[in-house]
């Protein structure tokens, strides 16, 4: 489908695309309407045929089921003849005092079977428990010689059938040159299910054919299969391929005694019924000739209508595209000029036109005007960036002079025996050196803690006993990488807001580090006065509001730290602030846990 669409539209002129689009979009609803008309007509005929077929299948299946019920029940009436049962199980003894009584019982049983099946049974064979022939009866002497040997299908299988199972099949006897229908059933003890013997009935196939065809109407085809899935009767072999692949009825059809389905593009309606009394399946094939003719006529009408519609739509599309392609070509030529770098192209378009092409032309003019404005804004932005870079270069000159001055002050203090001043100068110098370091912006937690230690060392001289710090950072996290200046601004913020006020007390600042999955959580905890809820809510809101200023001085407060972490690692990292008035403040820094040198994805 995609290849066809590409062939129709890719590398085609706008004129060709309009024609193809009109044809395809018009054909879709017409195809849908034709399909609905076709489906409604055929479905109506299918439902009518289905109802009549269902009734006919029920009638034929019921009649045949009754026939095999009579045959099966007449065979099972042997349970009422105890002497015949004893003959099957133990055989006959000529010295037995019941010898003549057994003969009389056999005669009565044969008469019962013959009468119950309307004289269609021509031979009955009684086999004993040992599969040996115990007695037989024939309607005529000529049938006495019907062989029972390897020439008969299922010769050995039908003497040992499972409990409550029968076997039916047909074959052509070479000696008699006749088709015989054979019905075999093994008799079991009803309580212990032990085998007693087997009964085999012979019926001329023409008698069974009369019964079946008396209930069939051509061109319907009837197919009868036995418990082995073998077709032993059919009125025609024309549709053998439709039913030959169906499994044996006792495997598939017992759970669904009746099934009606369409085959071969709905041209055939196939009804299959399970005949429980004969362990057989009956399949009736109904050729749907009327539906096939109706389908062909509908298809020809639909094809003719589609061809006529395609011709009309194609001609109308060729006429209509003249009014569409001309302004589009003008627009395409203007876009080529813009692609070549000419952004001063403007297309004239009367404002009284309000169609889509006119709106597209006005949008093109608006786009070129905005592009010119953006180019000017970007040029001005580049100038401001250059000014900021020059300012940063100027600021880098002062730290070198400051380092040398601090070293001179420290040296003078050592000469007069004051060793606190050199330590303060060293700490302050390290602070400036870390702050103005020009190399990689990536640092480690260990280096950040050293920087924090230098800052706290200087503050200790100012606040003395009022400031106390604790560090709880595992050695395994010391070399974890992080961006620079993520902890010192937060600790400085705690010192500024918690000390120096009227209600000074001892400030305890604890720095703790732990892992949470693939995240390192650095916590800065103080026991200061805390933050009131309104101020805390405002502070959290400011953290989530992205700053739009490109260069905002040298401030590196909480918002700056939060935005730098998110720029470096993503929106799932940053600062989290919790505080309660009178209980202190906890600021958690979330950064990814990775080895140094790895890039964060």
């Amino acid at each position: 489908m995609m290849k066809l669409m590409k062939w129709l539209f890719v590398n085609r002129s706008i004129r060709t695309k309009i024609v193809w689009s009109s044809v395809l979009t018009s054909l879709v609803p017409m195809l849908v309407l034709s399909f609905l008309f076709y489906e409604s007509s055929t479905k109506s005929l299918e439902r009518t045929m289905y109802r009549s077929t269902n009734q006919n299948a029920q009638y034929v299946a019921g009649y045949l089921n009754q026939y095999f019920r009579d045959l099966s029940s007449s065979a099972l009436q042997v349970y009422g003849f105890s002497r015949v049962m004893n003959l099957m199980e133990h055989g006959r003894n000529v010295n037995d005092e019941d010898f003549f009584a057994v003969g009389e019982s056999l005669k009565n049983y044969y008469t019962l079977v013959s009468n119950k099946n309307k004289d269609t049974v021509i031979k009955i064979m009684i086999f004993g428990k040992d599969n040996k022939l115990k007695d037989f009866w024939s309607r005529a002497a000529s049938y006495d010689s019907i062989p029972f040997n390897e020439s008969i299908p299922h010769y050995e299988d039908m003497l040992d059938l499972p409990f409550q199972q029968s076997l039916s099949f047909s074959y052509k006897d070479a000696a008699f040159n006749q088709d015989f229908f054979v019905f075999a059933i093994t008799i079991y003890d009803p309580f212990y299910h032990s085998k007693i013997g087997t009964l085999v009935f012979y019926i001329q196939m023409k008698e069974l054919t009369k019964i079946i065809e008396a209930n069939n109407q051509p061109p319907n085809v009837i197919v009868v299969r036995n418990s082995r899935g073998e077709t032993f009767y059919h009125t025609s072999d024309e549709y053998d391929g439709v039913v030959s692949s169906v499994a044996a009825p006792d495997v598939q059809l017992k759970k669904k005694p009746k099934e009606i389905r369409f085959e071969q593009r709905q041209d055939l309606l196939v009804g299959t019924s399970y005949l429980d009394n004969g362990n057989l399946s009956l399949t009736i094939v109904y050729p749907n000739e009327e539906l096939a003719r109706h389908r062909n006529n509908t298809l020809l009408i639909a094809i003719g209508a589609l061809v006529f519609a395609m011709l009309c739509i194609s001609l109308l599309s060729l006429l209509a595209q003249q009014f569409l392609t001309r302004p589009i070509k003008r627009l395409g030529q203007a876009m080529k000029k813009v692609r070549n770098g000419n952004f001063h192209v403007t297309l004239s378009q009367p404002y009284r036109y309000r169609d889509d092409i006119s709106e597209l032309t006005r949008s093109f003019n608006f786009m070129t005007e905005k592009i010119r404005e953006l180019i000017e804004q970007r040029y001005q932005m580049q100038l401001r960036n250059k000014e900021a870079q020059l300012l940063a270069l100027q600021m880098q000159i002062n730290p070198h002079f400051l380092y040398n001055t601090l070293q001179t002050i420290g040296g003078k203090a050592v000469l007069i025996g004051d060793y606190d001043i050199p330590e303060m100068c060293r700490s302050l110098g390290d602070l400036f050196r870390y702050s103005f370091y020009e190399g990689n912006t990536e640092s480690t937690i260990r280096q950040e803690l050293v920087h924090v230690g230098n800052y706290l060392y200087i503050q200790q001289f100012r606040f003395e006993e009022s400031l106390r710090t604790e560090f709880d950072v595992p050695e395994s996290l010391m070399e974890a990488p992080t961006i620079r200046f993520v902890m010192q601004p937060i600790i400085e913020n705690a010192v500024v807001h918690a000390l120096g006020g009227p209600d000074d007390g001892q400030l305890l600042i604890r720095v703790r580090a732990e892992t949470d999955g693939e995240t390192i959580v650095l916590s800065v905890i103080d026991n200061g006065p805390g933050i009131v809820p309104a101020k805390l809510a405002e502070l959290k809101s400011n953290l989530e509001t992205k700053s739009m200023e490109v260069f905002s001085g040298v401030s590196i407060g909480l918002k700056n730290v939060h935005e730098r972490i998110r720029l470096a690692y993503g929106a799932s990292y940053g600062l989290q602030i919790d505080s309660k008035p009178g209980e202190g403040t906890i600021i958690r820094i979330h950064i990814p846990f990775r080895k140094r040198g790895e890039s964060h994805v």
Side-chain angles (χ1 to χ4, degrees), residues 185-204:
I185 184 170
T186 302
I187 306 300
Y188 286 85
D189 185 282
F191 300 102
Y192 302 102
H193 294 178
S194 60
K195 178 183 174 183
I196 295 177
T198 303
L199 295 174
V200 180
F201 298 146
Y202 286 82
I203 301 172
Q204 285 186 325

Side-chain angles (χ1 to χ4, degrees), residues 75 95 118 142 208 290 380 389 399 455 562 565 598:
N95 297 321
K118 301 177 181 180
S142 58
L208 181 62
E290 181 180 357
Q380 295 176 1
Q389 291 175 3
Y455 169 77
H562 182 69
I565 292 175
E598 292 181 351

Side-chain angles (χ1 to χ4, degrees), residues 319-377:
L319 296 175
Q321 54 83 26
Q322 295 292 338
F323 297 95
L324 299 175
T325 57
R326 190 178 297 111
I328 293 178
K329 286 182 178 180
R330 292 176 54 242
L331 186 60
Q333 294 172 355
M335 287 184 175
K336 286 182 180 179
K337 294 180 180 179
V338 172
R339 186 175 60 188
N340 293 329
N342 183 6
F343 298 104
H344 296 278
V345 178
T346 302
L347 294 175
S348 60
Q349 181 65 39
Y351 280 94
R352 66 178 181 273
Y353 293 166
R354 294 301 178 189
D355 56 275
D356 294 338
I357 302 297
S358 301
E359 292 295 331
L360 188 61
T361 302
R362 281 188 284 271
S363 298
F364 173 80
N365 293 335
F366 178 79
M367 179 191 68
T368 55
E369 182 181 353
K370 285 297 180 181
I371 289 176
R372 291 195 298 269
E373 293 177 0
L374 290 174
I375 291 174
E376 295 176 359
Q377 292 177 2

Side-chain angles (χ1 to χ4, degrees), residues 538-595:
E538 181 183 357
L539 184 59
K540 289 182 177 180
S541 176
N542 288 337
L543 287 180
E544 297 302 324
T545 303
K546 186 176 181 180
S547 176
M548 300 302 294
E549 298 178 359
V550 177
F551 184 74
S552 55
V554 295
S555 174
I556 51 173
L558 297 181
K559 183 175 179 63
N560 184 279
V561 174
H562 182 69
E563 288 189 356
R564 287 193 300 113
I565 292 175
R566 286 199 165 186
L567 284 173
Y569 303 125
S572 59
Y573 301 97
L575 300 185
Q576 179 183 354
I577 305 176
D578 292 316
S579 181
K580 292 183 180 179
E583 298 183 9
T585 303
I586 302 176
I587 298 180
R588 297 180 177 87
I589 308 168
H590 297 264
I591 59 175
F593 185 20
R594 55 187 175 86
K595 295 181 180 180

Side-chain angles (χ1 to χ4, degrees), residues 266-467:
Q266 310 293 87
D267 290 337
L268 298 177
L269 187 59
V270 181
T272 302
S273 302
Y274 177 68
L275 307 181
D276 183 58
N277 290 282
N279 198 19
L280 305 170
S281 68
L282 169 68
T283 300
I284 307 178
V285 181
Y286 302 88
N288 200 353
E289 298 176 353
E290 181 180 357
L291 182 60
R293 288 194 302 270
H294 180 80
R295 183 186 295 109
N296 293 333
N297 293 336
T298 304
L299 184 61
L300 291 175
I301 293 173
I303 293 175
L306 288 176
V307 171
F308 178 76
M310 288 178 63
L311 293 175
C312 294
I313 294 171
S314 300
L315 292 175
L316 293 175
S317 299
L318 287 173
L319 296 175
Q321 54 83 26
Q322 295 292 338
F323 297 95
L324 299 175
T325 57
R326 190 178 297 111
I328 293 178
K329 286 182 178 180
R330 292 176 54 242
L331 186 60
Q333 294 172 355
M335 287 184 175
K336 286 182 180 179
K337 294 180 180 179
V338 172
R339 186 175 60 188
N340 293 329
N342 183 6
F343 298 104
H344 296 278
V345 178
T346 302
L347 294 175
S348 60
Q349 181 65 39
Y351 280 94
R352 66 178 181 273
Y353 293 166
R354 294 301 178 189
D355 56 275
D356 294 338
I357 302 297
S358 301
E359 292 295 331
L360 188 61
T361 302
R362 281 188 284 271
S363 298
F364 173 80
N365 293 335
F366 178 79
M367 179 191 68
T368 55
E369 182 181 353
K370 285 297 180 181
I371 289 176
R372 291 195 298 269
E373 293 177 0
L374 290 174
I375 291 174
E376 295 176 359
Q377 292 177 2
R378 182 169 180 82
Y379 178 72
Q380 295 176 1
M381 182 69 70
Q382 290 177 348
L383 290 178
R384 288 198 296 269
N385 289 339
K386 290 295 182 181
E387 293 175 357
Q389 291 175 3
L390 291 174
L391 179 60
L393 290 175
Q394 293 174 359
M395 292 177 63
Q396 290 178 358
I397 299 174
N398 294 329
H400 297 291
F401 172 75
L402 183 61
Y403 299 151
N404 297 331
T405 303
L406 289 174
Q407 289 179 356
T408 303
I409 294 172
K412 290 289 186 180
V414 170
L415 292 176
I416 64 175
D418 190 341
Y419 295 98
D420 290 335
I421 293 177
E423 283 298 317
M424 292 182 63
C425 291
R426 182 197 59 77
S427 299
L428 185 59
D430 290 343
L431 281 174
F432 286 131
R433 187 174 292 108
Y434 189 78
S435 300
F436 294 106
Y437 177 65
E438 299 178 9
N440 192 352
T441 59
E442 186 180 71
S443 181
T444 64
I445 293 179
R446 186 188 301 278
Q447 292 173 341
E448 280 289 290
L449 291 177
V450 171
H451 181 65
V452 168
N454 289 327
Y455 169 77
L456 292 174
Y457 179 79
I458 297 173
Q459 294 296 334
Q460 201 75 42
F461 281 95
R462 176 185 176 188
F463 296 105
E464 296 180 349
E465 298 298 327
S466 297
L467 177 62

